[in-house]
């Protein structure tokens, strides 16, 4: 299997990009879907912003280094990765905060309807944000399983809010079909692209999506707590009621006027002062992912996960795969159900294979295509086989649940 992995690496058109990332020696990193790896160019880019723009430029850098436009500039770099026009995306806030702004804005556009429809088991923050709006009396939450989603699109639904690639299973929604169904029912659509952006092709304009948000620290490699991004289709820019009317979303922040007047374009999604250091790191990651190209990343992601399954059966393992078995219909990950998934995950980490555990019984392995080698995949499968076949995961030290995992 190692020979076959080496041959696949030799033929991999993306092989050179691994060298553009800092990865610790002896580690197989299968958690780039949770925190992307560090691009080698990031420390120098950040040092330049810190030392020159902040250190020397001080307050002047808002103009001289164009800090004001940085959220829009980084957004414009993310836009082609999600099939949007450059003026439809802005880098700002977190996914959670962007969800709050976008759900509210969508509800305001559908007077007489107040239901936000989503699925149970969606990423917790997505559900919590609807719940928070419900507590304010602004929204009604309706969660239905995905096979009942079409019927649930009644005439009280203002917004269909879904996550494209499920964080736990990697299952994908058909964005075109769901968006069309929602529109046919008179509702708007908000897509969470956290587990898609930078790994899977997404065509927001092509599917006619209304709103979207996505994560900067996963496949975009923007660093821990990197700013997220928000997308609003151009047709909604004119009368958008974004509730977090902070001064950075004002048409003229430095007029210091008492009246709020929303900026005309995507800048109206901003709330407070842009996090310049976070944006500087995110920009490097977004540039690198754009340079590699989403279609090539997706092709490699599929090949990596298919090869992992091939290795696993080569070792005679029979695992309970909860991700879709067809790589065209899953995100860049494989999730396996195992009653001792936590201990299994810890035993793998002890061997230098970093994946993650998702409560209660899921071992989740992410395949960040920009920097993983087929050799890493073969190694990870070999370790998994050894850990299972020797019963190594049953050691006491792997069973204790840490507070933060
Ligand atoms: C990672 C992730 C988030 C993260 O939200 P933050 O507010 O940026 O921490 C949200 N939704 C989904 C589906 C995610 O996978």
């Amino acid at each position: 299997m190692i020979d076959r992995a080496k041959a696949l690496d030799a033929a991999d058109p993306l092989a050179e990009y691994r060298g553009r990332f800092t990865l610790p020696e002896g580690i197989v990193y299968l958690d780039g879907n949770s925190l992307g790896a560090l691009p080698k160019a990031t420390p120098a880019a950040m040092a330049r912003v810190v030392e020159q723009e902040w250190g020397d430029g001080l307050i002047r850098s808002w103009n001289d280094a164009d800090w004001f436009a940085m959220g829009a500039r980084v957004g414009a770099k993310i836009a082609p990765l999600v099939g949007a026009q450059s003026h439809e995306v802005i880098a700002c806030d977190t996914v959670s905060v962007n969800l709050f702004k976008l759900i509210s804005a969508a509800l305001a556009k559908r007077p007489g309807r107040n239901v936000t429809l989503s699925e149970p088991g969606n990423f917790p923050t997505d559900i919590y944000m609807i719940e928070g709006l419900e507590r304010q009396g602004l929204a009604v939450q309706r969660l239905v399983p995905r096979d009942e989603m079409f019927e649930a699109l009644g005439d009280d639904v203002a917004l269909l809010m879904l996550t494209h690639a499920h964080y736990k299973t990697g299952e994908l929604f058909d964005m075109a079909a769901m968006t069309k169904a929602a529109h046919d029912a008179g509702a708007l659509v908000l897509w969470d692209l956290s587990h898609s952006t930078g790994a899977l092709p997404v065509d927001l304009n092509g599917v006619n999506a209304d709103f979207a948000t996505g994560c900067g620290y996963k496949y975009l490699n923007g660093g821990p707590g990197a700013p997220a991004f928000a997308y609003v289709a151009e047709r909604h820019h004119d009368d958008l009621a974004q509730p977090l009317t902070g001064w950075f979303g004002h048409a003229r922040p430095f007029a210091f006027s008492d009246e709020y007047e929303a900026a005309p374009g995507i800048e109206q999604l901003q709330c407070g002062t842009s996090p310049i250091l976070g944006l500087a790191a995110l920009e490097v990651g977004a540039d690198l992912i754009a340079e590699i190209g989403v279609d090539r990343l997706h092709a490699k992601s599929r090949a990596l996960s298919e090869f992992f399954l091939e290795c696993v059966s080569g070792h005679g393992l029979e695992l309970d795969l909860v991700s879709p078995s067809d790589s065209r219909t899953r995100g860049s990950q494989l999730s396996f159900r195992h009653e001792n998934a936590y201990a299994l995950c810890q035993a793998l980490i002890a061997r230098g294979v970093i994946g993650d555990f998702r409560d209660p019984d899921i071992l989740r392995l992410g395949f960040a295509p920009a920097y993983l080698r087929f050799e890493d995949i073969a190694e990870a499968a070999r370790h998994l086989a050894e850990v299972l076949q020797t019963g190594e995961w049953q050691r006491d030290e792997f069973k204790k649940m840490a507070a933060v995992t």
Side-chain angles (χ1 to χ4, degrees):
M1 250 164 278
I2 279 289
D3 289 345
R4 183 154 147 63
K6 287 192 168 146
L8 287 166
D9 282 326
D12 174 13
L14 304 193
E16 58 173 302
Y17 289 104
R18 180 180 173 86
R20 305 275 291 274
F21 292 86
T22 297
L23 289 159
E25 203 54 46
I27 292 289
V28 175
Y29 191 55
L30 303 184
D31 218 354
N33 51 331
S34 214
L35 176 64
L38 169 67
K40 279 194 180 145
T42 302
M46 292 202 73
R48 185 180 51 75
V49 174
V50 169
E51 289 163 13
Q52 294 172 24
E53 296 182 10
W54 177 15
D56 289 336
L58 289 165
I59 193 87
R60 294 169 292 188
S61 287
W62 282 103
N63 289 313
D64 296 350
D66 213 16
W67 285 351
F68 277 120
M70 201 155 170
R73 184 172 87 223
V74 176
K77 290 179 168 183
I78 296 169
L81 304 175
V82 292
Q85 303 176 76
S86 54
H87 60 281
E88 292 175 315
V89 178
I90 191 150
C92 60
D93 299 316
T94 60
V95 173
S96 306
V97 172
N98 287 328
L99 289 169
F100 182 88
K101 293 182 288 188
L102 296 172
I103 298 168
S104 307
L107 289 168
K109 281 186 174 282
R110 287 291 178 271
R113 297 173 173 231
N114 57 7
V115 171
T116 297
L117 180 64
S118 194
E119 67 167 342
N122 194 351
F123 192 82
T125 209
D126 298 55
I127 295 176
Y128 301 160
M129 295 314 289
I130 310 175
E131 197 177 313
L133 282 154
E134 193 169 58
R135 286 193 208 163
Q136 304 283 318
L138 296 170
V140 171
Q141 182 183 71
R142 184 181 296 158
L143 304 179
V144 302
R146 47 181 76 192
D147 55 351
E148 293 166 27
M149 202 63 80
F150 286 114
E151 294 116 86
L153 279 165
D155 60 10
D156 53 354
V157 176
L159 177 69
L160 175 64
M161 184 184 107
L162 298 173
T163 299
H164 177 221
H166 195 277
Y167 78 102
K168 219 185 247 189
T169 65
E171 258 179 286
L172 297 183
F173 272 110
D174 178 337
M175 288 182 64
M178 296 313 296
T179 303
K180 181 171 186 317
H183 286 170
D184 287 348
L188 295 166
V189 179
L190 163 51
W191 286 104
D192 185 333
L193 303 176
S194 292
H195 277 276
S196 315
T197 312
L200 305 175
V202 169
D203 189 2
L204 288 170
N205 285 168
V207 305
N208 205 21
D210 300 287
F211 307 104
T213 181
C215 197
Y217 53 79
K218 291 173 178 157
Y219 296 109
L220 290 181
N221 308 294
F229 68 88
Y231 156 89
V232 177
E234 184 186 64
R235 63 182 177 279
H236 294 308
H237 285 193
D238 278 352
D239 56 346
L240 197 73
Q242 194 275 94
L244 299 184
T245 48
W247 72 307
F248 255 59
H250 196 283
R252 289 171 305 281
F254 288 86
F256 293 105
S257 150
D258 281 352
E259 282 88 45
Y260 183 77
E261 185 195 329
I266 193 70
E267 286 83 358
Q268 68 190 295
L269 258 291
Q270 295 183 127
C271 179
T273 310
S274 297
I276 298 302
L277 304 182
L279 286 169
L282 176 58
E283 185 165 27
V284 177
D287 277 339
L288 182 48
I289 290 302
E291 180 189 329
I292 306 173
V294 170
D295 288 337
R296 293 203 298 166
L297 287 161
H298 185 223
K300 180 161 171 199
S301 144
R302 289 180 54 196
L304 289 170
S305 67
E306 285 169 6
F307 183 57
F308 185 83
L309 292 176
E310 201 181 307
C311 293
V312 158
S313 14
H315 286 293
L317 293 182
E318 281 181 31
L319 299 175
D320 182 4
L321 178 68
V322 295
S323 304
S325 54
D326 182 344
S327 67
R328 285 168 301 187
T329 59
R330 66 177 176 239
S332 197
Q333 70 185 71
L334 288 171
S335 300
F336 301 97
R337 179 167 289 124
H338 188 280
E339 60 177 330
N340 290 292
Y342 179 80
L344 204 52
C345 184
Q346 293 306 309
L348 285 173
I349 292 173
R351 285 167 167 259
V353 178
I354 303 181
D356 65 21
F357 161 76
R358 284 294 175 263
D359 204 45
D361 56 3
I362 302 285
L363 174 69
R364 185 180 73 162
L365 305 177
F367 300 97
Y371 43 83
L372 284 177
R373 298 169 300 198
F374 289 90
E375 201 180 324
D376 298 317
I377 300 304
E379 275 298 279
R382 180 178 67 80
H383 283 296
L384 179 60
E386 286 177 10
V387 161
L388 282 167
Q389 285 161 353
T390 61
E392 182 174 308
W393 59 272
Q394 294 172 31
R395 283 195 214 149
D396 281 349
E397 68 203 86
F398 299 138
K399 290 190 183 155
K400 221 172 342 101
M401 184 93 60
V404 176
T405 56

